[in-house]
Amino acid sequence: MPLKITAAEMVERARARIEEIETADAIAMVDDPSVQIVDLRDPRERARSGYIPGSFHCPRGMLEFWVDPDSPYFKDVFAQDKKFVFHCASGWRSAISVATLRDMGFDAAHLREGFGAWAKAGGPVQRDDTPA
């Protein structure tokens, strides 16, 4: 049975209605205390590739529950008065995620090209075996 909408179409529709942050601009935000970068990648991706220093890890499957203050899974980090910038590996999951958050009434942006572009552009990357 053919799909009514493909994953690529979902990403395209999401990108048309969310704030996208270019890699260089996000790199400039990494030390800004008013910005919280949120990593949606799987724990194995973070372990394999490293992560953005200071980023908060929120696995994609828990996002809506961790953001919702009425959820028993709510995380206080999402109650902070900060600019939230979400990312995944390539920008697809984070685009759809931020569109969903916007539907919920949560203001957020995403790293347009994801962690892969961040690392390629020389953005800081931390690994658990290296000091912060």
Side-chain angles (χ1 to χ4, degrees), residues 18-72:
I18 63 173
E19 180 184 357
E20 298 191 292
I21 297 180
E22 297 298 331
T23 304
D25 296 328
I27 290 171
M29 294 176 175
V30 75
D31 292 323
D32 185 338
S34 69
V35 174
Q36 179 61 63
I37 296 174
V38 181
D39 188 343
L40 295 169
R41 295 175 303 149
D42 180 276
R44 291 173 300 248
E45 289 175 280
R46 279 176 60 96
R48 182 175 54 250
S49 304
Y51 52 92
I52 297 172
S55 64
F56 178 77
H57 183 227
C58 175
R60 173 61 190 100
M62 293 305 295
L63 177 63
E64 294 84 355
F65 305 101
W66 284 13
V67 167
D68 183 352
D70 293 331
S71 165

Side-chain angles (χ1 to χ4, degrees), residues 83-97:
K83 179 176 186 71
F84 289 89
V85 179
F86 290 79
H87 80 85
C88 61
S90 66
W92 282 39
R93 288 173 286 179
S94 59
I96 292 171
S97 298

